[in-house]
Amino acid sequence: MATTMTERDLVLHATAIKRHAPLPAIAHLAGLPEATAQAVIAQAVATGRVIEARGAYALTPLAGVALTARYARHFADVREDAAFVSAYEGFERINRTLKQIITDWQTLDIGGAKVANDHSDKAHDDAVIDRLGALHEQAEPILAKLAGRLPRLQYYADKLLAALEAAEDGDPEWVSDIRRDSYHTVWFELHEELLRTMGREREE
């Protein structure tokens, strides 16, 4: 199953999800050659749909509204596909567990008070990474079902596995570092992708 998204909307959609990202990251997420994405971005900058700052690109608010209005047409098929909707709902269920894991990664409970995790307690960090691995085992069949209906979503499955393996291999920055495609960063982007696909709002 594929969407009706044009190259322009694929690039704008990727720009919206990345929020403020350089061209290679946008092209990769859009699944397009950099030259194609660059041509679309250049046109979008010229017409005021995208702004550039320090080599990164972001969608303007009006372009974001217009793009969101086109989602109903782009994603009409998957919104009515029972298997895709079921997989999406499965993602939302385990998303709650992911949030708790990331909270436990970023904070420690010291005498009932939450303090920032300085990552000096290796046993604690290893236990959290083990929980992340267990969560990923639950996520894998869900990701496979989502990508089975919308193949572009395989991007996220590959990125999540790579981040998990990097963390398990001893680099803890791959758990939640926002400056790289860490597990939490990619998960957050996947959640944003699915919310846009389904026409839902993020619950804070």
Side-chain angles (χ1 to χ4, degrees):
M1 179 179 289
T3 72
T4 58
M5 293 183 88
T6 61
E7 289 182 345
R8 183 195 67 174
D9 276 357
L10 278 171
V11 171
L12 296 180
H13 177 64
T15 305
I17 290 172
K18 285 290 184 182
R19 299 192 175 193
H20 186 243
L23 178 65
I26 293 170
H28 191 193
L29 177 54
L32 295 172
E34 278 192 33
T36 302
Q38 186 173 28
V40 173
I41 286 287
Q43 179 68 18
V45 170
T47 55
R49 292 185 175 89
V50 167
I51 56 173
E52 184 272 336
R54 299 180 180 179
Y57 299 92
L59 213 59
T60 60
L62 282 178
V65 170
L67 177 65
T68 299
R70 295 193 291 277
Y71 283 149
R73 170 166 51 86
H74 291 322
F75 299 124
D77 287 348
V78 292
R79 288 179 182 181
E80 296 178 357
D81 184 282
F84 189 90
V85 173
S86 176
Y88 162 72
E89 291 171 346
F91 176 88
E92 287 289 358
R93 283 193 292 274
I94 63 173
N95 182 54
R96 302 185 191 103
T97 304
L98 184 280
K99 286 181 178 179
Q100 187 58 55
I101 290 173
I102 295 303
T103 296
D104 293 342
W105 177 258
Q106 295 172 334
T107 61
L108 290 172
D109 190 330
I110 305 295
K114 290 290 185 183
V115 300
N117 184 5
D118 62 3
H119 300 291
S120 61
D121 186 343
K122 188 173 184 305
H124 171 85
D125 284 1
D126 286 349
V128 175
I129 291 174
D130 285 346
R131 288 166 57 200
L132 192 63
L135 172 83
H136 189 76
E137 289 182 4
Q138 297 178 53
E140 280 185 317
I142 294 172
L143 297 172
K145 290 176 182 175
L146 291 170
R149 297 297 193 278
L150 201 55
R152 189 169 48 78
L153 299 184
Q154 184 62 38
Y155 164 94
Y156 296 100
D158 295 341
K159 287 278 189 179
L160 288 169
L161 179 59
L164 175 63
E165 289 180 341
E168 290 177 335
D169 287 344
D171 188 345
E173 298 296 329
W174 286 96
V175 174
S176 65
D177 187 349
I178 62 173
R179 296 163 297 184
R180 65 181 72 192
D181 287 338
S182 68
Y183 200 95
H184 187 216
T185 298
V186 176
W187 186 280
F188 186 89
E189 291 177 353
L190 171 57
H191 195 193
E192 181 68 23
E193 170 97 40
L194 293 175
L195 290 170
R196 289 170 177 269
T197 299
M198 298 302 297
R200 308 286 177 85
E201 296 291 331
R202 186 181 295 273
E203 295 180 5
E204 301 298 340

